[in-house]
């Protein structure tokens, strides 16, 4: 039986894409082996979001070549899309395929097996208008399924290379999304996470069909308990979206809305399309419609031109808005982006001090948010504990408002919707007590 090994760098979308590519190999009778073992084919799914991403990708490619010089080495992903020639220069690389045409990967592999001639299958991503249909029928942890509905981005923020590596925004056909949602529910999933490169941009390229329409159609899927959006921009939350939040019982009370900076001047330099006032107003509206909503965000610290005053102004704005958690990144120069050429680059040490200040704030916010729910009963779907982190007799999962809760309960409740009373708040993990399992009589766990 031929074998294939995968290595994925970068974001969740890349991990999704790797899973989808694995299905293609599986259908051809391949078995998957660990990347550290000898395989007939090594596939590296690369990242290019930072210069370090490129470097790490090259290291991994060389590692695969050393592991088995006779293997076919295939490279896909964002770095493959933007720098195919650079990758083909690495001795031993057989196939470079970017962030499209992955459905043709098996014929390419067969061609290489027959001819042993390297293939560069990368073409201009900017001309692509079609969403690439690649499905993942199953996920290891069995409780949350990811469903990719969108690819690419039209925003061209000054710090970001992604439009050049993923192309412009394109949406998956709504009927195809719904069909895949039905399959995932049939496979036993109760929660679906809608994902993409710029997920909230879903529908930008469709006639009179937006993300809010898709959410209503998903709301009708029998057996689906919970719908989560991986990320959405504040500007994409309009009246129709707020209506879904208010009236659909399946929408998670959690939104990841990237702010990136807390000062209008820095936002402008980043070419973000909103002001702090507009962002705050959107958050206020969401909270009016969904009072206990968890709002998480991304912040880039030390963007070129961020003075101490501007950082302080941002710090105050972030504190005022209040999040349930923040992902904080020091600004990292990405060659080929306008921000990398800007004057006033911020010193690394200053960046690190600022990151530290915001991480402290994030932990305080996380705890304050969690504390509001002590004594409340939340719906939690326990996840599979692959690494044995929970301990015997313990279950852990996320509530619909994205609190991670640990509680006592039997193994067979994994993947079921459990009612859990929060007994203790924590920064990353809260503790709770099982009240009952939905769909079973209250005495079933007494």
């Amino acid at each position: 039986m031929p074998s294939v090994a995968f290595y994925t760098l970068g974001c969740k979308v890349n991990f999704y894409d790797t899973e989808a590519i694995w299905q293609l190999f599986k259908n051809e009778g391949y078995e998957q082996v660990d990347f550290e073992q000898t395989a007939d084919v090594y596939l590296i799914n690369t990242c290019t979001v930072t210069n370090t991403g490129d470097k790490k990708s090259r290291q991994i490619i060389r590692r695969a070549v050393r592991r088995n010089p006779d293997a076919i080495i295939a490279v896909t992903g964002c770095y493959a899309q933007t720098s195919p020639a650079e990758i083909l220069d690495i001795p031993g690389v057989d196939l470079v395929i970017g962030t499209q045409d992955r459905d043709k990967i098996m014929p390419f592999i067969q061609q290489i097996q027959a001819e042993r001639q390297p293939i560069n299958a990368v073409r201009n991503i900017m001309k692509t208008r079609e969403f690439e249909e690649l499905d993942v029928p199953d996920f290891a942890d069995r409780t949350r399924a990811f469903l990719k509905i969108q690819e690419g981005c039209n925003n061209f923020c000054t710090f970001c290379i992604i439009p050049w590596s993923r192309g412009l925004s394109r949406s998956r056909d709504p009927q195809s999304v719904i069909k895949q949602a039905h399959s995932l529910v049939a496979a036993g999933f109760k929660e679906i996470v809608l994902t993409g490169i710029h997920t909230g941009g879903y529908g930008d390229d469709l006639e009179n069909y937006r993300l809010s329409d898709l959410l209503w159609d998903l709301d009708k899927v029998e057996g689906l308990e919970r719908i989560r959006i991986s990320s959405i921009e504040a500007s994409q939350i309009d009246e129709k979206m707020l209506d879904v939040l208010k009236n659909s019982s399946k929408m998670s009370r959690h939104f990841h809305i990237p702010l990136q900076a807390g000062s209008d001047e820095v936002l402008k330099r980043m070419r973000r399309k909103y002001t702090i006032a507009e962002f705050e107003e959107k958050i206020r509206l969401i909270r009016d419609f969904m009072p206990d909503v968890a709002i998480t965000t991304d912040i880039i610290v030390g963007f070129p031109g961020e003075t101490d005053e501007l950082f302080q102004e941002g710090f105050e704005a972030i504190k005022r808005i209040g999040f349930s958690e923040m992902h904080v990144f020091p600004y990292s120069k990405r060659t080929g982006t306008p921000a990398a050429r800007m004057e006033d680059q911020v010193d690394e040490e200053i960046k690190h001090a600022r990151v530290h200040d915001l991480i402290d704030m994030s932990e305080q916010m996380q705890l304050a948010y969690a504390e509001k729910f002590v004594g409340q009963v939340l719906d939690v779907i326990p996840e599979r504990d692959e690494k044995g982190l929970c301990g015997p007799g313990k279950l852990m999962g996320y509530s619909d408002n994205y609190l991670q809760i640990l509680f006592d309960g039997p193994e067979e409740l994994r993947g079921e919707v459990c009612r859990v009373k929060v007994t203790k708040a924590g920064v990353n993990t809260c503790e709770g007590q099982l009240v009952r399992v939905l769909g079973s009589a209250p005495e079933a766990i007494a």
Side-chain angles (χ1 to χ4, degrees), residues 27 202 216 225 235 249 307 434:
N27 295 343
Y202 182 86
W216 278 126
E225 304 273 350
S235 57
S249 60
T307 59
L434 182 60

PDB file of all heavy atoms in Angstrom, residues 27 202 216 225 235 249 307 434:
ATOM      1  N   ASN A  27      -8.695   8.063  -1.213  1.00  0.00           N
ATOM      2  CA  ASN A  27      -9.516   7.477  -2.277  1.00  0.00           C
ATOM      3  C   ASN A  27      -8.683   6.683  -3.282  1.00  0.00           C
ATOM      4  O   ASN A  27      -9.197   5.819  -3.979  1.00  0.00           O
ATOM      5  CB  ASN A  27     -10.295   8.566  -3.024  1.00  0.00           C
ATOM      6  CG  ASN A  27     -11.304   9.244  -2.099  1.00  0.00           C
ATOM      7  OD1 ASN A  27     -11.636   8.706  -1.044  1.00  0.00           O
ATOM      8  ND2 ASN A  27     -11.765  10.425  -2.477  1.00  0.00           N
ATOM      9  N   TYR A 202     -18.166  36.279   2.866  1.00  0.00           N
ATOM     10  CA  TYR A 202     -18.984  35.319   2.119  1.00  0.00           C
ATOM     11  C   TYR A 202     -20.131  36.059   1.437  1.00  0.00           C
ATOM     12  O   TYR A 202     -20.828  36.854   2.062  1.00  0.00           O
ATOM     13  CB  TYR A 202     -19.554  34.232   3.050  1.00  0.00           C
ATOM     14  CG  TYR A 202     -20.369  33.207   2.280  1.00  0.00           C
ATOM     15  CD1 TYR A 202     -19.744  32.122   1.689  1.00  0.00           C
ATOM     16  CD2 TYR A 202     -21.735  33.376   2.081  1.00  0.00           C
ATOM     17  CE1 TYR A 202     -20.474  31.207   0.934  1.00  0.00           C
ATOM     18  CE2 TYR A 202     -22.470  32.471   1.329  1.00  0.00           C
ATOM     19  CZ  TYR A 202     -21.831  31.387   0.754  1.00  0.00           C
ATOM     20  OH  TYR A 202     -22.543  30.502  -0.014  1.00  0.00           O
ATOM     21  N   TRP A 216     -29.292  31.569   7.879  1.00  0.00           N
ATOM     22  CA  TRP A 216     -30.701  31.164   8.003  1.00  0.00           C
ATOM     23  C   TRP A 216     -30.915  29.788   7.384  1.00  0.00           C
ATOM     24  O   TRP A 216     -31.662  28.968   7.905  1.00  0.00           O
ATOM     25  CB  TRP A 216     -31.635  32.190   7.363  1.00  0.00           C
ATOM     26  CG  TRP A 216     -31.934  33.348   8.264  1.00  0.00           C
ATOM     27  CD1 TRP A 216     -31.767  34.669   7.987  1.00  0.00           C
ATOM     28  CD2 TRP A 216     -32.435  33.300   9.604  1.00  0.00           C
ATOM     29  NE1 TRP A 216     -32.135  35.441   9.072  1.00  0.00           N
ATOM     30  CE2 TRP A 216     -32.547  34.623  10.074  1.00  0.00           C
ATOM     31  CE3 TRP A 216     -32.806  32.247  10.467  1.00  0.00           C
ATOM     32  CZ2 TRP A 216     -33.018  34.939  11.351  1.00  0.00           C
ATOM     33  CZ3 TRP A 216     -33.267  32.561  11.745  1.00  0.00           C
ATOM     34  CH2 TRP A 216     -33.365  33.891  12.169  1.00  0.00           C
ATOM     35  N   GLU A 225     -26.830  21.629  16.059  1.00  0.00           N
ATOM     36  CA  GLU A 225     -27.166  22.340  17.307  1.00  0.00           C
ATOM     37  C   GLU A 225     -26.533  23.729  17.371  1.00  0.00           C
ATOM     38  O   GLU A 225     -27.044  24.630  18.013  1.00  0.00           O
ATOM     39  CB  GLU A 225     -26.632  21.551  18.524  1.00  0.00           C
ATOM     40  CG  GLU A 225     -27.129  20.119  18.607  1.00  0.00           C
ATOM     41  CD  GLU A 225     -28.444  20.017  19.330  1.00  0.00           C
ATOM     42  OE1 GLU A 225     -28.872  21.013  19.926  1.00  0.00           O
ATOM     43  OE2 GLU A 225     -29.056  18.932  19.289  1.00  0.00           O
ATOM     44  N   SER A 235     -17.419  45.582   9.983  1.00  0.00           N
ATOM     45  CA  SER A 235     -18.214  46.185   8.901  1.00  0.00           C
ATOM     46  C   SER A 235     -19.188  45.183   8.287  1.00  0.00           C
ATOM     47  O   SER A 235     -20.141  45.562   7.613  1.00  0.00           O
ATOM     48  CB  SER A 235     -17.278  46.704   7.811  1.00  0.00           C
ATOM     49  OG  SER A 235     -16.459  45.645   7.337  1.00  0.00           O
ATOM     50  N   SER A 249     -31.659  30.276  17.216  1.00  0.00           N
ATOM     51  CA  SER A 249     -31.221  29.667  18.480  1.00  0.00           C
ATOM     52  C   SER A 249     -29.903  28.902  18.291  1.00  0.00           C
ATOM     53  O   SER A 249     -29.295  28.456  19.247  1.00  0.00           O
ATOM     54  CB  SER A 249     -32.300  28.709  18.973  1.00  0.00           C
ATOM     55  OG  SER A 249     -32.486  27.712  17.973  1.00  0.00           O
ATOM     56  N   THR A 307       3.518  55.335  17.876  1.00  0.00           N
ATOM     57  CA  THR A 307       4.299  55.995  18.925  1.00  0.00           C
ATOM     58  C   THR A 307       3.777  55.551  20.293  1.00  0.00           C
ATOM     59  O   THR A 307       2.724  54.906  20.378  1.00  0.00           O
ATOM     60  CB  THR A 307       4.114  57.524  18.837  1.00  0.00           C
ATOM     61  OG1 THR A 307       2.700  57.785  18.986  1.00  0.00           O
ATOM     62  CG2 THR A 307       4.592  58.068  17.486  1.00  0.00           C
ATOM     63  N   LEU A 434     -21.874  18.936  36.045  1.00  0.00           N
ATOM     64  CA  LEU A 434     -22.856  18.446  35.080  1.00  0.00           C
ATOM     65  C   LEU A 434     -24.255  18.490  35.699  1.00  0.00           C
ATOM     66  O   LEU A 434     -24.471  17.987  36.797  1.00  0.00           O
ATOM     67  CB  LEU A 434     -22.496  17.012  34.681  1.00  0.00           C
ATOM     68  CG  LEU A 434     -23.374  16.329  33.647  1.00  0.00           C
ATOM     69  CD1 LEU A 434     -23.378  17.089  32.328  1.00  0.00           C
ATOM     70  CD2 LEU A 434     -22.889  14.903  33.405  1.00  0.00           C
TER      71      LEU A 434
END
